């Protein structure tokens, strides 16, 4: 593989701040750390911060171990910034995490550029790693956790062999604890010692050891293996006979602190009937995403939007009667939402609120499960907000739209916007179409005996969709089925528009079947 061009896409915090920079990448092999790998620079490195939200808390903590290390050895300012912002960093606040990833990459790149072949300066990046690697190998904990413990031990060794003051060791230890990292661990000391002796950086009876001088500054010193062995005492448990080292053991237990969940909700009035909370909460739990979704009865949408920023809500759905008037209060608009002229989804990125419309995507996904829309003649019954969203989705997928509405004015306007024909609902028998979609509320609970289109209109060549989902089988769908049509109820559109929201908010793939099941269960409960 020599000479092969390659790049890295760093998907963990640890890889973004450490592994992807420096051109030295390896895998462990037969008990030896990083013994097989490359010593070449990649053509590119991509660090996409949105990927970090998909990581378990423990994995995020591990990445922070290397960020703390960079601050400790080279940048007192960055270390202090992390001390001040540890909670925001741990909850992946975008502005904080962006700065930390950027600064970490910068620090590592500067160090590596000065010493690509690891003759001097670069050794500083091994701060905490001499013990860290030995602990990782023997205690079976992750790299970041082992490095965290290793850094605390290395600080204690630095106090014993250099100018480091105990107050700096305590700062380091406190910061690691704030980031949910362990600072002390009970291990089999003999095994760790054995692993330390195998350290590839050992030269005879000495070892290059990174000592902290103070927070933000490190030196590499040759220590005797006995000096290093002295550090082993910090591996003993706090109940051991060495209480004088209590300052090292105060962080013995991994903090149980966990990230606060990301907050979501739906704004509307009325809202108690909304199925979005059950759908999204089930999806969060299933996907392991740390989020929670509430229904909010809102009559003043401007205040709800301002609260969204204050509470740092990650996302919101918007339903009747706010879909149009919410637009005036948002910072940005997605192109499709702009065209449709209504917003039902908001994404909050670092205080910037962007409006989307997921109905068009939901309708198109529901339809294209069954047929290709290209060149299909699609009659849309109704000319309200949902008709507009569905219409744009169909036009975008190269279908030909006809608007059929009881009122000429609104119907003609929508038909003109979609470059389609218009027909009055009272004259529907005159039209010919391949697909018919009802977007009016006619037939919705409790008026389940109503239908906007007479049963005589249907023939077996048609596909008929009703976007109403209470009830799932509207009179319109029952009569279309009786006429031999392929029918689609309102559930898939609702689930797919929710899936789009989920993916937009979390960056994760939506568990569509789980969402469908959650909504079906509630609907079945209501229908019995
Ligand atoms: P809307 O903006 O109020 O529009 C309703 C449309 O239906 C208007 O064009 C209106 O005609 C027409 N209409 C109302 N009553 C009628 C009647 N008795 N006879 C004939 N036409 C009538 O409402 P919307 O936001 O578009 O929502 C419509 C429906 O779609 C609701 O039932 C909603 O629950 C459902 N929906 C479902 C989903 C889903 O995911 N499945 C998503 C969004 C909406 P005029 O122009 O003459 O007033």
């Amino acid at each position: 593989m020599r000479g092969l061009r390659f790049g890295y896409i760093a998907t963990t915090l640890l890889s973004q701040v450490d592994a992807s920079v420096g051109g030295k990448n390896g895998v462990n092999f037969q008990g030896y750390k990083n013994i097989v790998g490359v010593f070449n620079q990649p053509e590119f490195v991509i660090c996409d911060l949105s990927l970090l939200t998909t990581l378990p808390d423990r994995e995020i903590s591990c990445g922070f171990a290397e960020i703390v290390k960079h601050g400790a050895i080279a940048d007192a300012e960055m270390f202090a910034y992390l001390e001040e912002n540890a909670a925001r960093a741990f909850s992946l606040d975008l502005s904080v995490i962006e700065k930390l990833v950027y600064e970490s990459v910068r620090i590592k790149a500067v160090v590596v550029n000065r010493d690509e072949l690891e003759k001097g300066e670069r050794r500083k990046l091994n701060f905490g790693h001499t013990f860290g690697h030995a602990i990782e190998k023997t205690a079976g904990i992750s790299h970041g956790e082992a490095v965290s413990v290793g850094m605390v031990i290395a600080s204690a060794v630095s106090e014993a062999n250099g100018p480091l003051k105990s107050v700096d060791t305590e700062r380091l230890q406190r910061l690691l604890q704030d980031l949910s990292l362990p600072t002390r661990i009970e291990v089999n000391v003999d095994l760790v010692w054995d692993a330390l002796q195998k350290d590839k950086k050992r030269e005879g009876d000495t070892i290059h050891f990174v000592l902290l001088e103070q927070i933000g500054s490190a030196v590499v010193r040759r220590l005797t293996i006995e000096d290093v062995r002295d550090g082993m005492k910090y591996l003993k448990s706090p109940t051991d006979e060495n209480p004088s080292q209590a300052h090292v053991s105060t962080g013995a237990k991994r903090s149980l602190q966990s990230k606060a969940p990301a907050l979501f909700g739906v704004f509307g009035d009325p809202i108690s009937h909304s199925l979005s909370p059950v759908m999204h909460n089930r999806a969060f739990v299933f996907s392991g995403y740390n989020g929670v979704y509430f229904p909010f009865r809102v009559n003043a949408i401007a205040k709800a939007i301002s609260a969204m920023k204050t509470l740092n809500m990650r996302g919101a759905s918007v339903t009747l009667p706010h879909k149009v008037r919410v637009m005036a209060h948002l910072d940005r608009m997605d192109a499709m939402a702009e065209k449709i002229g209504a917003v039902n989804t908001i994404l909050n990125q670092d205080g910037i609120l962007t409006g989307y419309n997921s109905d068009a995507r939901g309708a198109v996904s529901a339809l294209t499960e069954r047929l290709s829309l290209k060149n299909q003649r699609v009659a849309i019954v109704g000319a309200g907000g949902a008709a507009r969203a569905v219409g744009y989705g169909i036009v975008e997928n190269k279908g030909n739209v006809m608007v059929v509405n009881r009122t000429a004015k609104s119907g003609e306007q929508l038909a003109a916007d979609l470059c389609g024909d218009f027909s009055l609902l009272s004259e529907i028998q005159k039209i010919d179409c391949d697909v018919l979609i009802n977007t009016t509320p006619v037939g919705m609970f409790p008026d389940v005996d109503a239908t906007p289109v007479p049963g005589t209109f249907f023939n077996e060549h048609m596909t008929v969709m009703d976007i109403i989902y209470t009830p799932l089988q509207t009179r319109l769908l029952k009569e279309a089925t009786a006429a031999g049509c392929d029918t689609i109820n309102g559930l898939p559109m609702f689930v797919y528009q929710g899936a789009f929201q989920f993916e937009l908010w979390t960056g994760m793939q939506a568990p569509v079947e789980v969402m469908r099941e959650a909504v079906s269960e509630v609907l079945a409960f209501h229908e019995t």
Side-chain angles (χ1 to χ4, degrees), residues 293-474:
Y293 187 110
F294 295 101
F296 293 107
R297 186 167 166 216
V298 163
N299 50 32
I301 191 67
K303 287 186 183 163
I305 295 303
S306 149
M308 191 172 171
K309 288 193 178 182
T310 309
L311 298 172
N312 194 24
M313 288 176 68
R314 179 84 50 94
S317 312
V318 182
T319 187
L320 298 174
H322 305 305
K323 287 185 185 184
V324 176
R325 68 180 80 121
V326 71
M327 297 174 76
H329 306 287
L330 302 177
D331 303 304
R332 289 186 198 147
M333 212 59 66
D334 164 68
M336 176 66 95
E338 188 106 63
K339 265 202 262 178
I340 295 169
V343 159
N344 74 343
T345 306
I346 304 172
L347 174 68
N348 182 355
Q349 283 172 303
D350 220 14
I352 308 290
L353 302 188
T354 308
Y356 295 81
N357 192 308
S358 63
D359 279 340
R361 282 128 174 144
V364 166
S365 299
L367 286 160
T368 51
E369 268 186 335
R370 301 286 182 83
L371 74 167
S372 159
L373 287 167
K374 194 170 176 195
N375 299 329
Q376 297 280 345
R377 295 163 307 159
V378 184
I380 297 177
V381 183
R388 189 164 278 275
V390 171
Y392 274 109
I394 289 165
V395 169
E396 196 155 84
N397 284 271
K398 311 225 172 345
N400 301 316
V401 168
M402 268 172 269
V403 177
V404 184
N405 199 38
R406 67 174 176 187
T407 312
K409 193 167 176 236
S410 48
E412 280 171 351
Q413 179 62 57
L414 179 58
D417 292 346
L418 297 174
C419 300
D421 295 331
F422 169 72
S423 172
L424 275 171
L425 183 56
S426 54
E427 296 177 1
I428 193 166
Q429 295 286 7
K430 293 186 191 160
I431 69 162
D432 199 5
C433 65
D434 306 307
V435 180
L436 179 133
I437 304 171
N438 174 39
T439 70
T440 75
V442 181
M444 195 161 85
F445 184 84
D447 297 321
V448 293
D449 291 331
T451 180
V453 179
T456 49
F457 175 76
F458 302 114
N459 66 58
E460 74 270 24
H461 304 296
M462 288 180 191
T463 299
V464 177
M465 174 158 126
D466 197 334
I467 71 169
I468 290 172
Y469 47 81
T470 51
L472 279 177
Q473 286 307 308
T474 55

Side-chain angles (χ1 to χ4, degrees), residues 223-257:
L223 294 189
T224 67
I225 203 85
E226 283 313 307
D227 289 335
V228 176
R229 188 184 187 123
D230 212 36
M232 300 287 295
K233 64 180 177 238
Y234 303 110
L235 284 170
K236 291 182 179 173
S237 82
T239 53
D240 281 350
E241 73 288 351
N242 203 356
S244 63
Q245 303 302 335
H247 70 278
V248 183
S249 68
T250 48
K253 292 268 183 292
R254 201 183 138 84
S255 156
L256 291 177
Q257 171 199 341

Side-chain angles (χ1 to χ4, degrees), residues 57 60-62 64-65 68 79 82-83 86-87 90 144-145 147-149 151-152 168-185 238 245-259:
D57 287 357
I60 291 168
S61 290
C62 290
F64 278 120
V68 171
F79 192 94
L82 188 48
E83 283 180 311
F90 196 66
E145 290 169 331
V147 167
S148 175
V149 177
M151 284 193 286
V152 177
D168 280 345
T169 303
E170 281 157 21
R171 274 180 73 191
L172 177 76
Q173 199 172 299
R174 209 173 311 117
L175 179 56
L176 292 168
Q177 286 164 9
D178 285 348
L179 294 164
S180 278
L181 282 160
T183 52
R184 180 152 187 161
I185 188 172
Q245 303 302 335
H247 70 278
V248 183
S249 68
T250 48
K253 292 268 183 292
R254 201 183 138 84
S255 156
L256 291 177
Q257 171 199 341
S258 158
K259 273 193 301 172

